[in-house]
Amino acid sequence: MTLAITPGTVTTVPAVVGSDLRVPLVTGERVTYANLDHAASAPCLQEVRDAVDELLPWYASVHRGAGFASQVSTRVYEQARDRIRKFVGARSSDAVVFTRNTTDSLNLLARSVPRNTAVVLFDSEHHAALLPWRGPNVQRIPAPSSSGAAVVALDRALAAAPVGPRLVIVTGASNVTGELWPVAELAKVARRHGARIALDAAQLAPHRPIDVRELGVDYIAFSGHKIYAPFGAGVLVGRSDWLQQAQPYLVGGGATAKVTDHGDRLGVAWSAVPERHEAGSPNVVGVHALASACEILSRHWEQTVAHEQELLTRLYDGLRTIPGFRELSILTDADKVGVVSFTISGFDAGFLAAALSAEYGIGVRDGAFCAHVIVGRLVKQAGSHEERAVRASIGLGTTAEHVDRLVAALRTLVTEGPKWTYTQRDGRWVPEDDSRTLPPFLA
């Protein structure tokens, strides 16, 4: 365990791999890496790494192997479904389908909805939730300015939706602003109109407890790489009927119960859910890592939330002292997880991110964060002519020193300028005469 110390409180949170990582600067020094990019991919929990190391000697084929190691791996894989079902408070009848990530999960759901399903979603969604839904039955609602406005807008949209199956897509926490959406209230509206609701929990799952029955959602998707288990697994949890009626998302081994040869064609009997949508060799290690991360976080929610909220307050207090700072915001009345996106007047977001990395050892994200529609709109509202912003995101690996370093570095860059010379190459800012070397395993 590691102690994250902030004013007035000592909060114990699970430790992450790489907390002592030292990175080179263009000026020749080495500093401890300040990872403020948790919203893109969170580091691995040390306990997750230990769980993976424990499994690896037993790793083998799953489901159809007679060997003892295969039986162990199969048990690990299937038990992970119950571990994740418990993490999200799912119904016993809900399917738990393992995927590669949230994007894969939402594309699977999009392939499984009944024909002519009316889909309603806000245009502030991440591309993973925004892009799988196409056609005349898809209604995109302009991003609202408050939680109450979101509820009203969804009510109106569903009242005007075509008769038939309906599905609402909503994020739990914004990938851009960190704002928590009123999921339970939106779910009540959906039920009143006979619609189902799917929750993109990629940004919510690492930061807050989730209970799908309390929220009233029908489907939930999230990723291991966001929740401190970066081993290539994601999950879709939800009602099984649409998934059972749909053709397999991928076809191949595992998805088939029986294949018969009829000369000019093959006869195929597909497996039942969840195997129906898990063709190919399963990612046993990734699934075990994901389930382990869920259990670890479940034991530490109080400490995790306190840790992040204290650091988020510290970050805001500092950023608001930076000349030209403009925060991006959608819902003016919403609580937030540890994600802050912003612009600084007169400074290109990509340049700031490059200088923060090269001169201060700080990792942030710059760009439109796979949410181009809403970022473009918010950046313009912030008075910038660009379509890019900087995003700093907090997680279990963040310390008060990381936050203070970011604020001090931004203030220096804005008031004094960079120490180094930068140029644009292939659309990205890079330091000139960069002599930093890659780690030995990449040599």
Side-chain angles (χ1 to χ4, degrees):
M1 308 300 285
T2 183
L3 293 181
I5 302 174
T6 54
T9 304
V10 178
T11 304
T12 305
V13 294
V16 300
V17 176
S19 59
D20 57 352
L21 178 68
R22 293 181 66 80
V23 295
L25 307 182
V26 289
T27 50
E29 304 96 324
R30 297 184 80 89
V31 297
T32 303
Y33 184 53
N35 182 358
L36 290 167
D37 196 18
H38 283 69
S41 284
C44 183
L45 286 172
Q46 288 186 8
E47 290 180 76
V48 168
R49 179 185 62 184
D50 294 343
V52 168
D53 288 345
E54 186 178 34
L55 170 63
L56 286 177
W58 297 95
Y59 172 74
S61 61
V62 173
H63 290 151
R64 291 168 297 282
F68 193 77
S70 180
Q71 294 176 43
V72 170
S73 289
T74 298
R75 180 71 63 87
V76 166
Y77 188 75
E78 291 303 328
Q79 283 184 345
R81 298 192 203 275
D82 292 331
R83 297 164 75 188
I84 290 172
R85 183 179 281 110
K86 181 179 179 181
F87 178 70
V88 299
R91 299 157 288 260
S92 60
S93 59
D94 282 339
V96 178
V97 181
F98 292 121
T99 63
R100 293 176 297 173
N101 44 45
T102 310
T103 301
D104 198 22
S105 295
L106 293 173
N107 274 270
L108 164 59
L109 181 59
R111 297 283 190 92
S112 302
V113 299
R115 187 179 179 86
N116 297 322
T117 296
V119 177
V120 180
L121 70 167
F122 294 94
D123 67 4
S124 48
E125 294 290 329
H126 186 282
H127 291 169
L130 187 68
L131 297 181
W133 319 95
R134 306 290 182 90
N137 290 330
V138 178
Q139 182 175 356
R140 288 187 291 110
I141 308 172
S145 59
S146 68
S147 299
V151 173
V152 171
L154 179 63
D155 192 22
R156 290 173 177 169
L158 286 173
V163 175
R166 300 171 175 183
L167 178 66
V168 176
I169 312 296
V170 66
T171 189
S174 171
N175 169 65
V176 177
T177 66
E179 293 156 342
L180 294 167
W181 282 63
V183 177
E185 292 80 2
L186 294 171
K188 290 178 182 177
V189 172
R191 286 197 300 276
R192 190 164 67 247
H193 289 277
R196 297 189 183 189
I197 184 166
L199 175 63
D200 173 0
Q203 209 59 246
L204 179 64
H207 300 282
R208 293 289 192 278
I210 299 170
D211 190 309
V212 299
R213 285 173 292 187
E214 286 187 7
L215 292 174
V217 300
D218 300 277
Y219 303 93
I220 180 173
F222 59 97
S223 294
H225 77 100
K226 303 275 194 187
I227 199 169
Y228 305 97
F231 292 88
V235 67
L236 174 68
V237 182
R239 301 192 183 279
S240 61
D241 53 346
W242 286 0
L243 295 168
Q244 182 63 40
Q245 295 163 12
Q247 289 290 305
Y249 176 45
L250 297 173
V251 296
T256 54
K258 187 176 181 61
V259 178
T260 53
D261 186 356
H262 297 280
D264 60 340
R265 63 181 178 84
L266 294 175
V268 182
W270 301 114
S271 300
V273 171
E275 290 84 359
R276 188 183 192 87
H277 298 294
E278 292 180 353
S281 297
N283 180 5
V284 181
V285 173
V287 164
H288 181 55
L290 174 60
S292 298
C294 290
E295 289 187 344
I296 294 161
L297 284 180
S298 293
R299 298 196 299 267
H300 295 280
W301 276 128
E302 184 177 353
Q303 301 96 317
T304 296
V305 173
H307 168 77
E308 293 182 0
Q309 289 302 299
E310 289 173 9
L311 290 179
L312 183 61
T313 299
R314 191 184 190 101
L315 178 59
Y316 269 123
D317 289 346
L319 289 176
R320 286 167 179 158
T321 69
I322 306 296
F325 168 77
R326 298 288 185 275
E327 181 191 0
L328 305 191
S329 179
I330 304 170
L331 305 177
T332 56
D333 59 347
D335 290 335
K336 290 170 60 72
V337 299
V339 179
V340 181
S341 294
F342 59 92
T343 62
I344 294 181
S345 300
F347 289 86
D348 179 82
F351 164 77
L352 290 173
L356 288 170
S357 174
E359 299 181 29
Y360 299 94
I362 300 169
V364 296
R365 182 74 35 160
D366 71 281
F369 320 126
C370 296
H372 294 179
V373 174
I374 189 61
V375 170
R377 187 178 307 153
L378 295 178
V379 167
K380 288 180 181 178
Q381 291 174 4
S384 175
H385 298 295
E386 304 290 336
E387 293 187 354
R388 300 160 64 89
V390 178
R391 184 181 67 189
S393 49
I394 291 167
L396 295 178
T398 310
T399 68
E401 189 277 329
H402 295 164
V403 170
D404 294 346
R405 196 194 317 174
L406 172 66
V407 172
L410 284 171
R411 184 178 295 111
T412 299
L413 287 168
V414 170
T415 59
E416 301 177 17
K419 305 171 187 175
W420 209 258
T421 303
Y422 297 82
T423 188
Q424 284 192 307
R425 186 178 304 153
D426 298 326
R428 301 288 300 176
W429 287 96
V430 295
E432 294 184 355
D433 302 318
D434 187 355
S435 61
R436 292 175 296 172
T437 58
L438 295 171
F441 68 85
L442 287 175

